[in-house]
Amino acid sequence: MSLNIAKYSAVERAISRVFAKEAQKQQSAFFPLVATRAPSSSADEKYAWLGDIPQMREWVGERVFNEIRSADYTLKNKHYELSYGVARTDVDDDRYGMLNLAVPEIARRAAKYPDKILFDLINSAESETCFDGQYFFDTDHSWGDSGTQSNDLTYNAADHTAVTAEEFSAAFHAALEAMMSFKDDAGEPMFDPGADMSEMNNLLIVCHPTLHKAASDAFVNGLVLTSKSATAGDVVAATNNPLAVPSIFPSLRYTATTKFDLYYTGGALKPFLFQDRQPVIMDSFGVNSRKDKHIGFGADMRFNMGFLMWNYAVRTTFN
């Protein structure tokens, strides 16, 4: 029996079109919210410049060329794949309609796979190092003239397994104050809102679903900022007008039930890094050969997730 190449090729083209269309729908993925996309052209990339972005200065005399305070942070790309086989007899017998349902789901999972890798990274962030050699969430970050800074906080709740809205609100404000007090290697504020406080519209809370109600109830009356410490007194201003409440993202992929993370996502650099070596693509196998009982379809992509700006991230653990 001769191969029905025309039919196999038609099925291949149809599947490839559906896959490509669905794989482009990455707007439903989470990772672009908190990860800066960095194109990669090699097996790995070195980020020596991290943590040393200079401030403007008055130009007096000659220019001052700031030397990079070299960070030893290299991220290697990884290769991921997803394969799917269709029985050749099903194509011969016109029994491949189920692919119209399966292929979009395969494409969706491929496009959102970086979310899984990102949450694996988030869940290990208290034991994985970032550019300054400290754990991403740690109590003693230090870089140049920043002083010692902590983005790994604790909050004593009456019952850490049943956090109230009031407790969550207080913990959130403590996390925000900590973030707004962070300084760069020159001792300058990292988080510096303008007069309209528009940056406050770019705050994101990530937590386990068990904390979602407490987080949501904490902002029923909007967000009103008040200073609680002299350290942040000149940065956190009181206001009578509620600001935009933080976005709240509950996910089972965030495995800790007594923690939450606060991220600032409005900068050109975000807390995490999506190192994009090769976008998801799809290939077919065995179309022109009867040696295989299946026509194979395989998606693959090369990328990795890494830590970028710990200064834009604060974790709080309820005790």
Side-chain angles (χ1 to χ4, degrees), residues 32-52:
L33 294 177
V34 296
T36 296
R37 180 183 178 274
S40 173
S41 59
S42 184
D44 57 51
E45 301 292 341
K46 187 175 179 64
Y47 297 89
W49 52 267
L50 275 176
D52 192 64

Side-chain angles (χ1 to χ4, degrees), residues 29-31 33-34 112-125 204-209 249-256 261 263 272 303 305-307 315:
F30 170 72
F31 73 90
L33 294 177
V34 296
K112 295 187 70 173
Y113 191 70
D115 282 359
K116 178 185 182 304
I117 304 303
L118 173 61
F119 273 102
D120 288 345
L121 190 70
I122 288 173
N123 290 326
S124 65
L204 174 66
I205 291 172
V206 177
C207 62
H208 190 273
F249 188 89
S251 174
L252 284 172
R253 293 195 182 279
Y254 188 95
T255 57
D261 292 351
Y263 299 126
F272 301 100
F303 72 92
M305 288 288 184
F307 300 115
R315 172 163 292 174

